[in-house]
Amino acid sequence: MMIVAEPNKKLAKAGGWMLDLGEDAAVWIINKSVDMGRIIVFSVYVSPNVSLECFRSFVEELFGEVAKCTSRTIVAGDINAKSSMWGAPRTDEREYWLRTG
């Protein structure tokens, strides 16, 4: 399985990827013959240009949906949060809110 944020939309549509409604995130099942059981996959992307309030709303809704899942769940993507924990020169409001919110 491959999970991608900001996929090439033309290639993703032609290649059988599963795209979100905004076509900002995608999932591609590479080997369909492997039985991984029931897994719910969330492939997410949050633009760095959205406000902190919009970011918070998105993350809260995402966490609410994940909490409803009764199967194994994978959440992956690009939420454009900066943190010195993973090498960014500074921690931004998004990452700070994720830790403290």
Side-chain angles (χ1 to χ4, degrees), residues 12 20-21 32-34 43 48 56 81:
D20 75 322
L21 294 176
K32 294 182 176 137
S33 65
V34 175
S43 176
R56 287 178 180 171

Side-chain angles (χ1 to χ4, degrees), residues 7 10 19 25 29-30 41 53-54 63-64 67 69 72 74 83 95:
K10 185 176 180 180
L19 291 159
I29 307 298
I30 297 169
V41 178
E53 185 56 39
C54 188
F63 286 173
C69 296
R72 294 180 297 162
I74 297 171
S83 175
E95 197 280 333

Side-chain angles (χ1 to χ4, degrees), residues 1 11 15 20 22 27 62 76 92 97-98:
M1 173 185 325
L11 291 176
D20 75 322
V27 175
L62 172 65
D92 68 3
W97 179 80
L98 288 169

Side-chain angles (χ1 to χ4, degrees), residues 9-98:
K9 295 172 186 176
K10 185 176 180 180
L11 291 176
K13 287 177 183 178
W17 291 68
M18 291 177 277
L19 291 159
D20 75 322
L21 294 176
E23 298 179 347
D24 293 322
V27 175
W28 180 34
I29 307 298
I30 297 169
N31 186 346
K32 294 182 176 137
S33 65
V34 175
D35 183 8
M36 296 174 55
R38 181 169 163 80
I39 298 175
I40 297 172
V41 178
F42 291 85
S43 176
V44 299
Y45 174 75
V46 181
S47 170
N49 301 317
V50 301
S51 69
L52 182 59
E53 185 56 39
C54 188
F55 173 81
R56 287 178 180 171
S57 177
F58 175 85
V59 172
E60 287 171 351
E61 185 177 342
L62 172 65
F63 286 173
E65 291 301 313
V66 171
K68 295 177 192 175
C69 296
T70 57
S71 299
R72 294 180 297 162
T73 306
I74 297 171
V75 179
D78 182 357
I79 60 171
N80 283 294
K82 313 261 185 297
S83 175
S84 57
M85 288 174 48
W86 49 78
R90 65 177 179 78
T91 296
D92 68 3
E93 292 178 298
R94 291 179 177 199
E95 197 280 333
Y96 179 76
W97 179 80
L98 288 169

